[in-house]
């Protein structure tokens, strides 16, 4: 029986890569029964709202969604729909696994899962400006927060993920030397919880700046990384770079009552509408969604077909150094699923 799921095409390259998802899903035997739902810039034009109620209702009903990237205006404009969705469905864990797909790159055999706290930190900050003289925006304030309960929940989630996936180590990333309260509370929670996993999963910790350098110098020392919201956002893009770029990095937003899967990358307005976007990150997110829905065999079949098309058949989009378009790589993966 196909699982009912919401599918949000999104903005920029979103509709192009979602078309690829639909074509590949069909070749997989339609494991999901898609309910199309609008969000983002496009939804303002059609529904007067970047996050229409009908889309929220669809996700609430299906508890499962795959989302194309959504454009967020920089500086002013409407709030990030991504952040709103995480808050609305309490999607507290952002899982970003990065595994080498194409061997022989600058870094080989990378296999790191970054677990990002998805609700608090500077993403939940109270921001405002203070005027000085005739400058209305002379001083900018941001007051982020982390809660002990939120820290404990994400750290436990990271350790449980490590146990369930045969991982050996969880690295806690923080900046408790400077942001002593904001990220000290995170480190304290980790030190409290890690002993429960002694003998099964090792724990160490890094200051975020040192972690960034060590990820570049020796990424193989990392297994599972768990960190606060902003650090997780930045480090996961760095880690995506280690495996060949954003075109290969999937993500999952997990909550108690819903899960939303997506690519780590954004709407890539610079290449939108040109048929050159790499659909692999969103297809790998589809694989994570199949695993989550209990259909790991289908997820493995999809990953094997992606590997065969991209690595064996060398069908690669421009971001991976090839010349293929979105339709070529989609056709190559479909061919491998026959
Ligand atoms: P981006 O990830 O959209 O693009 C960064 C660079 O990577 C660009 O050069 C782009 O062409 C390239 N790229 C990204 N995805 C690609 C793909 N699948 N195939 C080939 N090349 C790809 O980041 P940005 O330009 O900083 O952000 C654009 C918009 O996306 C912004 O509005 C931002 O807020 C939004 N955004 C959304 C999400 C999301 O929906 N989850 C995530 C990040 C950024």
């Amino acid at each position: 029986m196909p699982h009912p799921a919401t599918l949000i095409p999104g903005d920029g390259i979103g509709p192009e890569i979602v078309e690829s998802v639909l074509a590949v899903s069909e070749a997989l035997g339609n494991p999901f029964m898609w309910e199309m739902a609008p969000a983002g810039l496009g939804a303002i034009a059609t529904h007067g709202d970047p996050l229409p109620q009908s889309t929220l209702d669809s996700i609430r009903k299906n508890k499962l969604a795959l989302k194309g990237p959504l454009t967020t205006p920089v500086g002013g404009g409407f709030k990030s729909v991504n952040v709103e969705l995480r808050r609305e469905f309490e999607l507290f864990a952002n899982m970003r696994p990065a595994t080498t797909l194409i061997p022989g790159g600058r870094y080989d055999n990378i296999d790191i899962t970054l677990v990002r706290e998805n609700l608090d930190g500077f993403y939940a900050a109270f921001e405002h400006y203070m005027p000085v003289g005739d400058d209305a925006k002379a001083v900018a304030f941001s007051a982020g927060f982390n809660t002990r309960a939120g820290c404990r929940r994400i750290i436990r989630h990271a350790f449980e993920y490590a146990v369930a996936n045969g991982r050996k180590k969880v690295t806690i990333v923080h900046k408790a030397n400077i942001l002593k309260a904001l990220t000290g509370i995170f480190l304290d929670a980790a030190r409290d919880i890690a002993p429960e996993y002694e003998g099964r999963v090792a724990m160490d910790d890094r200051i975020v700046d040192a972690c960034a350098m060590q990820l570049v110098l020796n990424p193989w020392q990392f297994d599972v990384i768990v960190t606060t919201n902003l650090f997780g956002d930045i480090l996961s893009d760095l880690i995506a770079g280690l495996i060949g770029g954003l075109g290969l990095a999937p993500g999952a937003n997990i909550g108690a009552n819903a899960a939303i899967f997506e690519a780590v990358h954004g709407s890539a307005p610079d290449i939108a509408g040109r048929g050159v976007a790499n659909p692999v990150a969103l297809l790998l997110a589809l694989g994570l969604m199949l695993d989550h829905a209990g259909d790991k065999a289908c997820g493995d079949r999809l990953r094997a077909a992606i590997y065969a098309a991209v690595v064996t058949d060398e069908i690669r989009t421009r971001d991976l150094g090839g010349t293929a378009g979105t339709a070529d790589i989609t056709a190559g993966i479909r061919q491998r699923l026959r």
Side-chain angles (χ1 to χ4, degrees):
M1 277 292 284
H3 312 272
T6 304
L7 183 56
I8 299 173
D11 299 316
I13 59 171
E16 298 164 62
I17 58 177
V18 161
E19 202 175 303
S20 173
V21 164
L22 289 170
V24 169
S25 291
E26 190 198 54
L28 281 168
N30 289 316
F32 295 106
M33 201 162 61
W34 298 116
E35 196 169 284
M36 303 300 285
L41 270 185
I44 296 187
T46 55
H47 292 68
D49 184 348
L51 186 52
Q53 188 58 43
S54 56
T55 298
L56 293 173
D57 293 343
S58 171
I59 300 172
R60 192 160 292 119
K61 174 166 61 85
N62 296 324
K63 301 179 171 32
L64 205 55
L66 184 68
K67 184 182 76 59
L70 304 172
T71 298
T72 307
V74 176
F78 61 85
K79 281 190 196 162
S80 165
V81 175
N82 294 311
V83 173
E84 291 295 301
L85 280 171
R86 289 170 202 155
R87 203 167 296 158
E88 179 73 28
F89 296 102
E90 218 185 324
L91 306 172
F92 67 91
N94 188 193
M95 310 300 291
R96 293 185 163 183
T99 311
T100 298
L101 180 70
I102 304 172
R106 197 178 300 169
Y107 296 91
D108 230 335
N109 297 318
I110 299 292
D111 186 8
I112 301 170
T113 295
L114 185 130
V115 182
R116 166 188 175 194
E117 197 289 317
N118 219 13
L119 297 175
D120 295 341
F122 285 117
Y123 285 70
F126 306 106
E127 288 202 303
H128 64 101
Y129 292 102
M130 196 177 85
V132 176
D134 58 1
D135 184 353
K137 293 185 171 181
V139 184
F141 286 92
S142 181
F145 64 85
N146 286 316
T147 63
R148 191 185 305 286
C151 294
R152 291 179 67 88
R153 179 164 62 171
I154 194 68
I155 287 161
R156 191 171 294 290
H157 189 79
F159 276 96
E160 288 296 324
Y161 171 88
V163 170
N165 291 278
R167 300 292 195 142
K168 299 283 172 267
K169 186 173 75 172
V170 172
T171 300
I172 315 298
V173 176
H174 59 90
K175 185 78 182 171
N177 54 330
I178 303 296
L179 302 170
K180 289 182 194 290
L182 187 70
T183 79
I185 195 174
F186 188 76
L187 181 59
D188 284 348
R191 286 182 173 152
D192 201 29
I193 286 170
E196 292 176 32
Y197 294 86
E198 211 173 310
R200 292 184 290 161
V201 183
M203 178 270 219
D204 62 5
D205 75 275
R206 294 279 191 292
I207 292 172
V208 63
D209 38 341
C211 180
M213 181 198 64
Q214 287 171 14
L215 274 167
V216 173
L217 287 182
N218 177 16
W220 300 278
Q221 69 185 290
F222 295 101
D223 188 351
V224 175
I225 293 175
V226 61
T227 189
T228 47
N229 207 339
L230 179 61
F231 298 161
D233 194 13
I234 297 167
L235 290 183
S236 62
D237 269 34
L238 190 163
I239 295 168
L242 301 176
I243 59 161
L246 287 169
L248 300 174
N253 299 283
I254 309 289
N257 299 313
I260 302 182
F261 296 79
E262 63 183 351
V264 170
H265 64 71
S267 55
D270 52 334
I271 57 165
R274 289 169 38 197
V276 298
N278 186 353
V280 169
L282 197 62
L283 290 170
L284 289 171
L286 176 67
L288 294 178
M289 187 164 155
L290 284 162
D291 298 347
H292 181 85
D295 208 346
K296 189 160 184 317
C298 191
D300 287 343
R301 204 174 142 231
L302 170 59
R303 285 181 282 271
I306 293 171
Y307 183 88
V310 175
V311 180
T312 313
D313 304 339
E314 296 188 18
I315 308 171
R316 295 179 193 170
T317 41
R318 284 198 248 165
D319 56 308
L320 302 178
T323 55
T326 316
D328 303 320
I329 195 160
T330 305
I333 294 167
R334 277 172 62 90
Q335 179 67 29
R336 284 291 191 162
L337 285 169
R338 289 236 164 87

